[in-house]
């Protein structure tokens, strides 16, 4: 059972006139409540060839390693969200580079976007959602302990592009 | 006044424990209702050097010209959303190319993303939200009648890149 955020009445799931998909519709006040995917923004912070990884202090994937990232908020840009999440999760100050990857995860109704970044100093420290932080070389990436496939894919593309000497932009999706 | 979509009780705007920003919080059932930006997905459909534009049959910007685009839905990827919107607004079948632009519009809590695309045939026809469709060369773009600045920026970058003979990926923002 769900309720209308506008008037508090119970809402029903049906296809509104002129629409193609079922929505939560309020018969009391007439509002259609659309649901849309959320964006997760993060960075690949680099220092002398090593990449900053965070070990998660929260579920899902408690104890697994990830890049600093989190949900984009209202009133900010994708770039601001990437910088904010890097500060919140890793206490890290960065110079933001170009957007690097954009990976849809339709199963979770999310799109994960990562920017390249350069650490401005080594004064990082774990935020509330992070157990510990490590700067790791390619050979030290704990692949089986990476928290999310969007992060693993982003890291693989990043090391491939670095080996080529040219960084591109990588759009993709994870469908299982 | 707003209400909880989970239990129907009235919600209050305040900063939850451990958070930094005010949210809609339900004291009855304890749920925090986060609000996040929405993604608008579209394409730049090209045919023999001309670009497909749609004249809007809906507000905002009724009568102005735009690229086919619209809100990304749950359960789809960014690429699927771009293809779907191109079919819905222009009845156009396309071969989707690479992602081309990603422009944040924090004032509207939106991020607009456009993919390059090639028209597969000329059997396009206006959808319900479109008055008419035109295939236009660079010299024919009605710049003062382009509906949105994200669309104008995307078209300018597209023609610049085409002149250079190399298409890139362009991330940016519109702040006014």
């Amino acid at each position: 059972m769900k309720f209308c955020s506008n008037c508090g009445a119970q809402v029903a799931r049906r296809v509104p006139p002129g629409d193609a998909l079922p929505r939560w519709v309020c018969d009391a006040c007439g509002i259609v409540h659309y649901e849309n995917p959320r964006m997760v923004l993060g960075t690949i912070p680099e220092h002398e060839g090593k990449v900053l990884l965070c070990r998660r202090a929260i579920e899902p994937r408690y104890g697994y390693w990830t890049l600093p990232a989190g949900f984009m908020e209202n009133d900010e840009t994708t770039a601001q969200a990437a910088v904010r999440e890097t500060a919140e999760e890793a206490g890290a100050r960065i110079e933001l580079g170009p957007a690097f990857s954009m990976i849809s995860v339709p199963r979770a109704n999310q799109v994960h976007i990562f920017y390249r970044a350069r650490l401005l100093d080594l004064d990082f420290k774990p935020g509330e959602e992070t157990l510990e932080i490590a700067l790791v070389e390619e050979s030290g990436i704990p692949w089986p302990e990476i928290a999310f496939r969007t992060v693993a894919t982003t890291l693989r593309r990043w090391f491939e592009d670095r080996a080529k000497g040219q960084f591109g932009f990588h759009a993709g999706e994870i469908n299982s």
Side-chain angles (χ1 to χ4, degrees), chain A:
Chain A
M1 196 179 296
K2 271 178 73 86
F3 298 87
C4 177
S5 58
N6 184 54
C7 75
Q10 199 175 320
V11 291
R13 188 86 174 162
R14 57 179 166 74
V15 180
D19 204 335
L21 294 171
R23 316 282 182 184
W24 290 107
V25 181
C26 179
D27 291 314
C29 73
I31 280 188
V32 179
H33 297 277
Y34 296 96
E35 295 172 310
N36 301 91
R38 292 194 293 171
M39 303 175 76
V40 171
L41 265 292
T43 63
I44 313 141
E46 184 263 346
H47 174 75
E48 293 182 355
K50 295 177 179 175
V51 166
L52 182 150
L53 294 181
C54 300
R55 202 152 77 87
R56 288 172 65 79
I58 53 170
E59 296 293 352
R61 299 284 189 258
Y62 180 99
Y64 284 71
W65 292 90
T66 190
L67 290 164
F71 287 112
M72 184 174 169
E73 301 271 8
N74 276 355
D75 302 316
E76 67 183 358
T77 66
T78 53
Q80 287 167 341
V83 170
R84 177 182 52 75
E85 287 291 344
T86 306
E88 286 179 10
E89 303 211 339
R93 297 197 321 130
I94 54 169
E95 176 184 55
L96 198 70
F100 180 73
S101 65
M102 175 174 75
I103 305 173
S104 296
V105 191
R107 168 181 47 79
N109 296 318
Q110 292 176 5
V111 178
H112 294 201
I113 295 170
F114 290 90
Y115 280 76
R116 288 163 58 203
R118 197 174 60 79
L119 281 176
L120 289 174
D121 54 54
L122 299 183
D123 297 338
F124 47 75
K125 60 173 194 298
E128 286 192 0
E129 303 185 348
T130 304
L131 293 171
E132 60 176 313
I133 294 173
L135 273 180
V136 292
E137 312 193 20
E138 182 171 9
S139 62
I141 300 281
W143 295 109
E145 292 165 50
I146 296 295
F148 305 108
R149 287 165 64 194
T150 56
V151 171
T153 298
T154 295
L155 287 169
R156 284 188 205 285
R157 295 293 97 75
W158 193 90
F159 286 114
E160 285 167 10
D161 279 13
R162 190 182 64 172
K164 280 187 246 168
Q166 191 173 3
F167 286 93
F169 178 77
H170 303 272
E173 56 199 66
I174 284 175
N175 276 313
S176 59

